[in-house]
Amino acid sequence: MTRPSVPAFATVPATLIAAAVAAVLTALSGRYGYHRDELYFRVAADHLAWGYTDQPPLTPLLAKVSITLFGDTPMGLRVVATVSTALTVVVVALIARELTGERNAQILAATCTALAGFVLGTGHMVSTATFDLLAWMVIALFALRLLRTNDGRWWIPLGLTTGIALENKYLVVLPLAALLIAVLVTGPRTILKTWYLPAGIAVAVLIAAPNLIWQATHGWPQLTVAGGISEDDGTENRIMFIPLQIAQLSPFLVPLWIAGFRHLWRTSTLTWSRPVALAYPILCVIVLATGGKSYYALPLLLVLVAAGTQPTLDWLSRGRQPVRRTAFAAAAVLTAVTSAAFTLPVLPESAVNLVLPVNAEQGEQIGWPELAATVKTVWEQIPPGERDRAVLFAANYGEAGALAKYNEGLPPAYSGHMSYADWPPPTDDHDGPVVLVAQERSPQYEAHFRTCSDAARVDNGQDVDNEEQNAHVLLCTGPTKPWSALWPDLRRYY
């Protein structure tokens, strides 16, 4: 069967759009401050390993590279996120090209990606989702090329990319599973009848093996974390799934991804691409069934947006062109404005509460120096003669990471949260006072320490309603048991 060729790639405009995105992200990367996850990655970068309780090793490794090359600041850390996002813009343009999109369709695909809220939000800061998005787009590109050409050799780069993606986040198995189911339903099943498929699987497993071995030898803690997410947030995730799918990418892009689905499913010359269209609803069913977060399925929407660019341009060229083009231009402007307002640090810190109902991550970048300063005032209440035996203990990794970053005059901070629990605990001779930082008071958790009392409350100075605003800083007289005996009881997976 003859497969269609693809148009020439719009290299210059796609690159310029990617560069513009990189410039905007760079200009804003120093605004606000570190996100709680970034504070955690900073510390994890100093404990490089083949695995962590809640993630594979790639994101902490990239954080280490970025800090080493560009400096230990929010701007320096975020260089790798900016580069990853710029590459994502280019790859989505290539996806549009793979779906026979002409030059203008490729430019529109790159533009839509550059304006999408989810893309800008993950591009602004270092997160596992940042690099996961790029990996999904590359996998989608290779999968489309495999389907279009029916050339089994594309299973090898697919396996290579999957293996690297598995060293960052296990979610990559979800779109692959959805695509496999879609191929079995719609065909072409011939792409499965080649020795390149097991070869590609072998490449993926070989690359992912170090982390898989680490997880197996540590009791698969990531499964425990995933179970906690589903148990604690599963119902809310299911209720908010559809609204957040629309809001997090951009409501103004909905017509494009609907057009993309129709284009892939109905166009006779693109019958080979039907599995890609079907993969999105299958993926949604999988995420809903497991209680996963709504953004788990968002990357495949970008593929549908790329598919929808050519039919959108065809629609704009027909009928009442001025009216349609004016409406489309207005939608593009509104997309840019809303995406920037909800995902980038463009608002004054005092106004961030306006966007928290849609994007709580904005608030998690504010108030960490103030938290550390509050803890320092409590630490200084400990008599100097007792400080050598005293311990700073934080209930979550964001608090512990903030104390590690803004630690002038403070000792190292400890925590039982996520991989902090795998790093060395305080020595047993630290049997003196404990400064305990926690979002909420918990008698059950405080029972691990003797005589705890409120010593201060955290105030971020902007009245931003984030998780650490009004957090408690407790002063306890000591641990109830030696730290080596107490440590297993302090571990928290979620």
Side-chain angles (χ1 to χ4, degrees), residues 458-492:
V458 175
D459 183 357
N460 55 45
Q462 301 291 339
D463 199 29
V464 174
D465 189 22
N466 59 24
E467 293 190 10
E468 259 60 44
Q469 177 69 337
N470 295 317
H472 298 261
V473 183
L474 308 174
L475 185 56
C476 308
T477 55
T480 57
K481 295 187 290 188
W483 287 101
S484 58
L486 189 62
W487 203 243
D489 297 331
L490 294 173
R491 176 182 281 276
R492 291 177 55 234

Side-chain angles (χ1 to χ4, degrees), residues 6-53:
V6 295
F9 183 50
T11 306
V12 173
T15 303
L16 289 175
I17 294 168
V21 171
V24 170
L25 292 176
T26 299
L28 296 173
S29 62
R31 293 263 297 166
Y32 299 173
Y34 292 99
H35 185 273
R36 68 168 61 249
D37 290 352
E38 293 177 313
L39 291 166
Y40 177 42
F41 295 142
R42 281 188 67 260
V43 181
D46 290 329
H47 297 81
L48 291 178
W50 280 113
Y52 300 88
T53 295

Side-chain angles (χ1 to χ4, degrees), residues 114-465:
L115 300 181
F118 178 69
V119 176
L120 292 176
T122 57
H124 168 60
M125 62 190 186
V126 171
S127 70
T128 53
T130 307
F131 311 112
D132 201 43
L133 176 60
L134 175 59
W136 281 41
M137 293 303 98
V138 174
I139 287 171
L141 176 63
F142 290 157
L144 284 167
R145 191 153 294 180
L146 169 65
L147 289 165
R148 180 178 64 82
T149 64
N150 203 28
D151 185 345
R153 289 175 294 183
W154 284 102
W155 281 114
I156 304 301
L158 260 173
L160 176 65
T161 308
T162 300
I164 296 172
L166 286 169
E167 290 288 5
N168 177 66
K169 203 174 181 76
Y170 289 164
L171 284 180
V172 70
V173 302
L174 298 183
L176 289 171
L179 183 59
L180 176 60
I181 294 170
V183 168
L184 290 173
V185 171
T186 67
R189 300 179 187 87
T190 54
I191 65 171
L192 306 176
K193 300 175 182 179
T194 170
W195 70 268
Y196 284 111
L197 172 56
I201 294 173
V203 169
V205 171
L206 181 64
I207 295 173
N211 176 250
L212 296 174
I213 292 171
W214 189 96
Q215 283 286 324
T217 56
H218 288 76
W220 296 101
Q222 273 199 256
L223 295 181
T224 304
V225 173
I229 293 174
S230 179
E231 182 178 344
D232 287 6
D233 298 337
T235 300
E236 180 182 353
N237 289 342
R238 293 182 180 97
I239 293 172
M240 295 301 297
F241 183 84
I242 293 176
L244 288 178
Q245 286 281 287
I246 295 172
Q248 289 177 332
L249 195 62
S250 174
F252 302 105
L253 294 179
V254 172
L256 270 83
W257 55 260
I258 292 176
F261 183 91
R262 289 168 56 89
H263 184 57
L264 295 180
W265 192 257
R266 293 187 174 185
T267 304
S268 59
T269 58
L270 290 176
T271 54
W272 54 270
S273 66
R274 283 183 177 176
V276 179
L278 185 59
Y280 173 68
I282 291 174
L283 178 60
C284 290
V285 170
I286 294 173
V287 174
L288 285 167
T290 57
K293 298 181 179 181
S294 62
Y295 77 82
Y296 291 178
L298 277 179
L300 284 190
L301 275 184
L302 277 180
V303 178
L304 296 184
V305 167
T309 54
Q310 189 62 60
T312 298
L313 290 175
D314 294 341
W315 175 79
L316 288 172
S317 67
R318 297 192 300 266
R320 301 170 64 186
Q321 294 181 21
V323 174
R324 292 183 177 185
R325 290 176 180 177
T326 300
F328 187 79
V333 171
L334 288 171
T335 300
V337 171
T338 55
S339 293
F342 283 104
T343 64
L344 296 177
V346 295
L347 297 175
E349 292 185 7
S350 58
V352 167
N353 285 341
L354 295 173
V355 302
L356 296 188
V358 175
N359 181 18
E361 308 308 325
Q362 290 279 62
E364 299 308 313
Q365 302 169 60
I366 295 171
W368 298 112
E370 289 79 7
L371 180 145
T374 302
V375 171
K376 185 177 180 180
T377 63
V378 176
W379 177 260
E380 290 173 346
Q381 296 176 26
I382 300 173
E386 297 182 31
R387 292 178 190 173
D388 287 344
R389 298 185 299 111
V391 169
L392 281 182
F393 190 87
N396 67 57
Y397 63 58
E399 297 160 348
L403 296 175
K405 172 60 180 174
Y406 306 106
N407 61 353
E408 184 178 353
L410 294 174
Y414 298 89
S415 180
H417 191 211
M418 298 298 189
S419 274
Y420 259 96
D422 296 319
W423 303 327
T427 57
D428 288 344
D429 58 356
H430 284 71
D431 56 358
V434 177
V435 177
L436 174 62
V437 187
Q439 292 174 356
E440 302 288 344
R441 295 203 62 168
S442 168
Q444 182 179 3
Y445 204 70
E446 292 172 27
H448 299 302
F449 309 97
R450 298 194 304 268
T451 318
C452 295
S453 59
D454 252 318
R457 300 291 290 274
V458 175
D459 183 357
N460 55 45
Q462 301 291 339
D463 199 29
V464 174
D465 189 22

